[in-house]
Amino acid sequence: MNIAISLIGGLGLFLYGMSLMGEGLQKSAGDKLKRIIELLTSNIIMGVLVGTVVTAIIQSSSATTVMVVGFVNAGLMGLSQAIGVIMGANIGTTVTAQLVSFNLEGLAPITLGIGIVLYLFSSKPKVKNIAEILLGFGILFTGMEFMKDAVNPLAEYKGFTDALISFGQRPILGLLLGLVITAIVQSSSASMGMLIALAAQGLIPLSSALPILYGQNIGTCVTSLISSIGANRNAKRAAIMHLLFNIIGTMIFLLFLNKPVVSIVTKINPNDVARQLANTHTLFNIISVIILLPFAKYIVKIAMRIIPEGADEKENETFLDERILETPSIAFGNTIKETLKMADLSKDCLNTSLNSFFKKDSKEAQNALEMETKVKELQKSISNYLLKLSKTSITKESIDDIDNLFNTINDIERIGAHSENIAEISIESIDKKVEMSDEGTREINQMYEKVKENCESIIKLIETKDSDIARKIIKTEEEVNKIEKSIRVNHIYRLNNNECNIDSGILYLDLITNLERISDHCSNIAKRIYN
């Protein structure tokens, strides 16, 4: 019982240390990580490199593949790109195994001490990020030492050592054990750490450890498979490709490459089973990528066969995927894209409602009302996503950006709400058969063109944060205010001279009020970004 408690405690420290170190590396990388992923092209080699680098940074192939599922689900990545990143993620995850296979426990107290001092006595975000990396490193190796100490007494239990040795003669059982342990722990690096702890204490020979190692590579696919539940078909295919790649790689090694690889790693480190395991893990993933890379398109085709095309294949997907919250900088970028969709929809809502008014088309008015409903739905989903994003590991600057985006989507929703008001004015004017004077119609058109120009500029502004566009919007808003005042004066003159009736006058004033407020909200967004 004491052994189990110590092992679980060590595993907990290992996982926490790995997570903390990954978060620190990720924060340090910041926008660089985003730019790394943006390097993705149809070039599969670039995908492999990106997958390797990103996984080495965030210290988890499971997190990378879950992210890939999220990207595919959001339509940001095709399957041909995804397969490259998945292959690269398998290589990147070997970094952790290489680290823990070295006897670096002596460095743990030093890195912990330096990390704690930096974290407590520095207020600079960059220094705190470095402190987190050092703390994570120290906790990870402290956890590794705990696991080694926990399993050390097991050497006295002959039944246990015999059971481990038997996996060399029964590789399928070892394969299943590695698969199950990794599926439970949800981290191939953690299960690999436990295996290296056993090897370091001389409890398991290389021949028995290898089937377990291969099983761990299959077990790590469970996370991405679970992640794909509820996602679209392409995201499910991405998870299936991850599974296919690891199963095929395992079969190749078990049947053909096991002996040559064992020969190589034992020559490099003849008396160190822990290093032999880490090197086998690295070689397994690198060689699997080299062998299977030319057949990547066939893996994609098999996944397409397993998950065939359906009627919902081209359904409109959201950029907001919780899997991508693992990398906040990218998640925030996707939130901007979703906000652009919302802004574009609110602009269309305005145009449709005004078209309805000018053409006396009630069907167009109904379309505008439906658009506004979708705008509200987008506001709700973006707000919820931003709330979750604000609870992740983000910088103070990112918190300010999130706060600004909260206000921006609220302004966009108000643009949609005022457009909805215009659609309702249009319906009322159609029902009451209200006619506008030619002069009144011309004035509304003049004001509408300026407001429409601002709505279009807002989309460009959110995307580029160009201060010139912001200044232009603010200037146009001033022009809209002047036009509104002029229209009100002209309207009073027409009323006094019986050139328009009261019913049309009320609707007319409501219409220009809503147009002016739409322009106000555009100006709010511009001032927020400009300042």
Side-chain angles (χ1 to χ4, degrees), residues 3 6-15 100 140-154 189-198 201 203:
I3 293 172
S6 298
L7 184 61
I8 291 168
L11 178 62
L13 284 172
F14 184 94
L15 284 167
V100 298
L140 183 146
F141 278 98
T142 301
M144 193 68 197
E145 192 170 5
F146 266 60
M147 286 196 286
K148 285 180 182 177
D149 291 341
V151 299
N152 189 39
L154 292 173
S189 294
S191 56
M192 186 69 186
M194 287 192 285
L195 192 61
I196 287 173
L198 289 168
Q201 300 300 88
L203 295 173

Side-chain angles (χ1 to χ4, degrees), residues 342-409:
M342 183 183 174
D344 194 51
L345 187 58
S346 69
K347 179 202 71 176
D348 290 344
C349 184
L350 169 65
N351 294 337
T352 306
S353 63
L354 261 296
N355 283 340
S356 164
F357 181 82
F358 290 132
K359 295 177 181 177
K360 306 290 183 185
D361 189 337
S362 57
K363 188 176 179 182
E364 282 280 84
Q366 288 300 327
N367 288 340
L369 295 176
E370 289 172 9
M371 287 178 184
E372 162 55 9
T373 301
K374 290 177 182 176
V375 169
K376 285 178 180 173
E377 289 171 358
L378 281 170
Q379 182 206 23
K380 185 178 178 181
S381 61
I382 295 171
S383 296
N384 289 336
Y385 194 78
L386 284 173
L387 190 61
K388 290 173 183 174
L389 182 58
S390 67
K391 294 176 181 176
T392 61
S393 303
I394 52 174
T395 61
K396 185 183 181 302
E397 185 181 338
S398 296
I399 292 171
D400 293 338
D401 288 338
I402 288 171
D403 287 342
N404 284 334
L405 197 55
F406 263 120
N407 291 321
T408 296
I409 62 170

Side-chain angles (χ1 to χ4, degrees), residues 97 174-175 177-179 182 188 191-192 195-196 204 206 208-219 250 253 274 276-282 284-285:
L175 197 78
L177 179 65
L179 191 159
T182 307
S188 61
S191 56
M192 186 69 186
L195 192 61
I196 287 173
I204 186 168
L206 182 64
S208 300
L210 289 184
I212 300 173
L213 185 153
Y214 299 145
Q216 289 170 348
N217 280 276
I218 298 173
T250 297
F253 264 73
Q276 291 169 9
L277 270 176
N279 289 333
T280 302
H281 188 221
T282 301
F284 169 84
N285 286 291

Side-chain angles (χ1 to χ4, degrees), residues 214 248-259 261 280 283-285 287-288 291:
Y214 299 145
I248 295 168
T250 297
M251 288 172 62
I252 290 170
F253 264 73
L254 276 176
L255 296 174
F256 306 110
L257 297 179
N258 203 46
K259 287 184 179 179
V261 169
T280 302
L283 286 172
F284 169 84
N285 286 291
I287 293 170
S288 293
I291 292 172

Side-chain angles (χ1 to χ4, degrees), residues 245-309:
F245 173 74
N246 282 352
I247 288 175
I248 295 168
T250 297
M251 288 172 62
I252 290 170
F253 264 73
L254 276 176
L255 296 174
F256 306 110
L257 297 179
N258 203 46
K259 287 184 179 179
V261 169
V262 168
S263 176
I264 292 168
V265 298
T266 49
K267 281 181 182 177
I268 296 171
N269 299 97
N271 301 314
D272 191 339
V273 181
R275 291 291 306 131
Q276 291 169 9
L277 270 176
N279 289 333
T280 302
H281 188 221
T282 301
L283 286 172
F284 169 84
N285 286 291
I286 292 174
I287 293 170
S288 293
V289 169
I290 292 169
I291 292 172
L292 295 176
L293 194 60
F295 303 98
K297 62 181 180 181
Y298 297 108
I299 295 175
V300 173
K301 285 181 180 179
I302 294 170
M304 294 280 286
R305 285 285 183 91
I306 294 171
I307 309 288
E309 292 186 8

